[in-house]
Amino acid sequence: MTKMIDASLLSNMIISGAYNLSNNRELVDALNVFPVPDGDTGTNMSLTFINAARSVENTNSTDVAEVANTVAKATLRGARGNSGVILSQIFRGISKKIDSNQGIDVATMKAALRGGCDTAYHAVMKPTEGTILTVIRSAAEAAELYEGEEIPELMRAVYDGMSKALAQTQQMLPQLKQAGVVDAGGQGLVFIFEGFLSAINGTVIPLNDSSSFASTAKAPAQSTISTEDIKFAYCTEFIINKYNAKHTADKMRAAIEPKGDCMIVIDEDDIVKVHIHTNHPGYVLEQAVKLGEMVNIKIENMREQHTDILGNSENKASDKPTQHRKTAVVAVANGDGLIETFKELGVTNIIHGGQTMNPSTEDILNAVEEANADNVFVLPNNKNIILAAQQAAEIADCNVIVIETKTIPQGICAMMDFSPDAQPEENTQNMNDAIENVVSGNVTHAVKDTEIDGMEIHEGNIIGVSSGHILSAEEDIFTATVSLVKQIADEDSEIITLYYGEGETEDTAQKIADAVEEIFPDADILVANGGQSVYYYIVSVE
């Protein structure tokens, strides 16, 4: 029997777990409660964890702590969707408890699972039982009840505990019980641990279809060039190896904050990562050396860089921002019409994505960096992208403000109240106020038979959805859209906008608009080409 997991075995566990989840991702996707074509939990978790598998394949480390840290970093940056972000937090917590290169014994694994559980719960503002959180908590509890010293027996107990908890999720959440399914995120995590157990017992599960994870080409970000002056000349970055891990960076943070902007100070265990734009880099370094020894010091003159960029701009074709600016906006959208709308409203960078195409934390982070600004607002425009955006904000080297837009109409309304000249606090308040004044709806098709919210849905029905509820289920797009608008608009509604998607025409959209105008004659009814996938119509009511 095995009493210790070394670096090689841990790597095989990660690969086996990632491949097992990948092989079963369609099953996890199908567990989506709503019958709409956006059940992507399995895909998001697979894309997140496949990053970890690829990372350890390229590591070849004999240090188990280094392997664990590699997994944590890979899942953090590769996290997609809420499920992927929570998964990344689980392995972040696990890695923090694996601090020895000697291996993982039963005691360490118990501590690691508890660390993963606690970190995941803390990452979610309002933890809900009956989800992936319940499953990882059950894993930690099952481990703590094990009294032996054998790793295979421990992981079998953990897997059995997780499987039992997964079955119970159906009883914990009414929507799962009604749909007759277990939690998708929890099922995904069980598949990962099933792969772990298989590797521990000597069999690394192979990947059935690796082509599904071919790299997706990144579309170029869109930008609008500003001519604002650079207030602070020196971009100053470094890492501090603390003299004493118990000391915090609070005093240093307070000392350097008045000397610049775009300050990021990440204080974690025995290191501190610092980034600041300042005119006094010497002062910043003097404060830092009081806390510890500095490494990876980088000081760059942004005014000089800017001059070089302008000098080369005529010879380089690029649509990315080349001039540093005070404030920028990054938005997630798909569809030529919607992308053009956001650009016209002043969005600097567009991340191509949305429903069924959730960008990763790293995708968002790259767009933020390309925006080249002191303050960057991020509009996720989808509830399943908010956590990834917030995670990107935590590790970005500038001030990132996530406006929690859950729909495209919310994002558009937020941009209407955005001013590039306003202070970040003012823009934050105005944009958050704006999204409270719009009601959003989507029209799509049902992908399976189900009964939800007291409504019987059949595969192929055209359904209208708003705020997580199915409000109409009809045989045709026209009837479903008009029915949806009738339920989310009222006599006080002033503006109703229909964004028609790919496959729909302006003439067809106008016929729906005419029918809506008969019901709400006092409202302005607008038709716009969104070009979006998944949804025949996106409806905005203000």
Side-chain angles (χ1 to χ4, degrees):
M1 296 293 280
T2 304
K3 294 186 178 181
M4 191 79 70
I5 297 173
D6 60 14
S8 177
L9 178 53
L10 180 58
S11 296
N12 284 339
M13 289 169 61
I14 298 302
I15 294 167
S16 183
Y19 290 176
N20 193 47
L21 173 58
S22 172
N23 296 340
N24 290 282
R25 67 190 180 280
E26 292 183 1
L27 187 156
V28 178
D29 284 342
L31 293 175
N32 185 40
V33 172
F34 260 34
V36 296
D38 62 357
D40 49 9
T41 298
T43 298
N44 281 338
M45 292 181 73
S46 293
L47 288 170
T48 298
F49 210 60
I50 209 76
N51 256 24
R54 287 172 173 168
S55 295
V56 299
E57 283 177 329
N58 296 326
T59 299
N60 296 321
S61 174
T62 58
D63 185 334
V64 70
E66 182 179 344
V67 173
N69 190 44
T70 296
V71 171
K73 289 181 178 178
T75 54
L76 177 73
R77 299 182 74 89
R80 296 174 185 267
N82 294 344
S83 56
V85 172
I86 294 173
L87 183 64
S88 74
Q89 291 299 312
I90 289 172
F91 283 92
R92 179 187 178 195
I94 286 174
S95 72
K96 285 184 176 182
K97 299 297 182 179
I98 302 174
D99 55 6
S100 170
N101 61 6
Q102 299 302 311
I104 304 171
D105 58 12
V106 166
T108 302
M109 182 59 79
K110 288 181 178 182
L113 291 172
R114 176 52 64 183
C117 171
D118 292 345
T119 301
Y121 269 86
H122 290 155
V124 180
M125 186 173 296
K126 295 181 180 179
T128 302
E129 296 301 333
T131 65
I132 186 174
L133 295 175
T134 300
V135 176
I136 187 58
R137 177 174 53 78
S138 298
E141 291 172 350
E144 289 163 350
L145 291 174
Y146 176 72
E147 297 180 350
E149 298 181 356
E150 301 292 342
I151 287 291
E153 291 179 355
L154 168 69
M155 295 307 291
R156 167 54 68 180
V158 167
Y159 175 74
D160 289 345
M162 295 172 72
S163 299
K164 183 178 180 180
L166 176 65
Q168 292 173 342
T169 60
Q170 189 176 119
Q171 306 304 317
M172 294 179 178
L173 291 175
Q175 58 267 40
L176 295 179
K177 185 175 182 180
Q178 185 178 17
V181 297
V182 296
D183 178 68
Q187 178 67 79
L189 189 63
V190 168
F191 279 132
I192 289 175
F193 273 74
E194 183 179 55
F196 288 177
L197 185 60
S198 180
I200 288 171
N201 289 326
T203 302
V204 175
I205 296 174
L207 182 62
N208 291 343
D209 183 14
S210 59
S211 63
S212 298
F213 293 101
S215 298
T216 301
K218 289 182 172 63
Q222 308 298 325
S223 64
T224 304
I225 302 302
S226 171
T227 57
E228 295 184 24
D229 293 332
I230 298 174
K231 182 178 179 182
F232 297 102
Y234 298 99
C235 176
T236 306
E237 294 180 271
F238 52 88
I239 293 173
I240 304 171
N241 291 320
K242 292 182 185 178
Y243 297 131
N244 189 327
K246 295 181 180 179
H247 292 169
T248 70
D250 293 345
K251 288 184 178 180
M252 186 205 68
R253 184 187 286 111
I256 69 174
E257 185 171 13
K259 298 296 183 179
D261 66 0
C262 202
M263 184 185 77
I264 302 291
V265 178
I266 301 174
D267 188 351
E268 186 168 328
D269 300 328
D270 56 351
I271 67 167
V272 179
K273 181 181 179 182
V274 179
H275 172 281
I276 188 170
H277 294 169
T278 180
N279 289 326
H280 306 281
Y283 175 84
V284 173
L285 298 182
E286 288 176 6
Q287 300 305 310
V289 78
K290 297 176 183 179
L291 185 62
E293 180 180 340
M294 290 179 291
V295 297
N296 297 349
I297 301 171
K298 183 176 71 173
I299 301 174
E300 296 178 338
N301 188 322
M302 294 188 295
R303 292 193 180 107
E304 188 176 89
Q305 285 181 323
H306 173 55
T307 300
D308 291 341
I309 290 170
L310 290 182
N312 293 328
S313 62
E314 293 182 0
N315 300 320
K316 288 181 69 176
S318 174
D319 59 0
K320 296 179 181 179
T322 58
Q323 183 172 350
H324 190 79
R325 66 192 68 207
K326 174 184 174 183
T327 303
V329 182
V330 168
V332 181
N334 87 86
D336 292 343
L338 293 178
I339 289 171
E340 187 61 32
T341 296
F342 277 114
K343 288 169 59 181
E344 290 174 353
L345 290 172
V347 168
T348 315
N349 280 35
I350 298 291
I351 303 172
H352 292 247
Q355 203 65 38
T356 75
M357 299 178 290
N358 296 158
S360 69
T361 296
E362 186 164 27
D363 291 334
I364 298 170
L365 185 62
N366 288 340
V368 166
E369 291 174 348
E370 289 168 4
N372 196 17
D374 295 333
N375 306 287
V376 181
F377 288 86
V378 177
L379 306 177
N381 298 333
N382 185 295
K383 67 179 182 180
N384 206 33
I385 303 174
I386 292 174
L387 283 182
Q390 292 172 336
Q391 190 153 272
E394 291 179 5
I395 58 179
D397 286 335
C398 60
N399 182 35
V400 177
I401 304 102
V402 178
I403 304 298
E404 297 185 14
T405 51
K406 299 178 180 178
T407 66
I408 288 292
Q410 284 187 346
I412 290 172
C413 283
M415 282 307 301
M416 288 180 175
D417 275 22
F418 168 79
S419 170
D421 299 320
Q423 293 299 312
E425 296 79 11
E426 181 181 352
N427 269 324
T428 300
Q429 183 66 52
N430 291 342
M431 295 169 86
N432 279 322
D433 287 345
I435 66 178
E436 296 296 324
N437 298 321
V438 60
V439 180
S440 308
N442 302 309
V443 179
T444 186
H445 65 277
V447 296
K448 62 181 179 181
D449 293 342
T450 189
E451 183 177 337
I452 191 166
D453 293 334
M455 185 178 297
E456 190 172 314
I457 312 293
H458 298 288
E459 182 178 351
N461 280 167
I462 308 300
I463 55 179
V465 184
S466 179
S467 300
H469 296 283
I470 297 177
L471 301 182
S472 62
E474 306 291 345
E475 296 296 324
D476 62 89
I477 297 172
F478 179 95
T479 307
T481 306
V482 173
S483 175
L484 173 65
V485 176
K486 284 174 63 177
Q487 295 182 72
I488 64 175
D490 57 33
E491 59 184 12
D492 295 324
S493 300
E494 298 177 356
I495 303 173
I496 301 173
T497 306
L498 304 174
Y499 297 94
Y500 60 92
E502 59 183 13
E504 293 298 295
T505 66
E506 184 176 0
D507 289 343
T508 303
Q510 189 57 56
K511 290 178 182 178
I512 296 175
D514 293 341
V516 170
E517 189 172 17
E518 291 184 8
I519 302 170
F520 301 103
D522 296 330
D524 291 329
I525 315 298
L526 307 178
V527 169
N529 179 12
Q532 70 276 359
S533 59
V534 181
Y535 300 124
Y536 303 116
Y537 288 90
I538 295 175
V539 181
S540 172
V541 178
E542 302 172 58

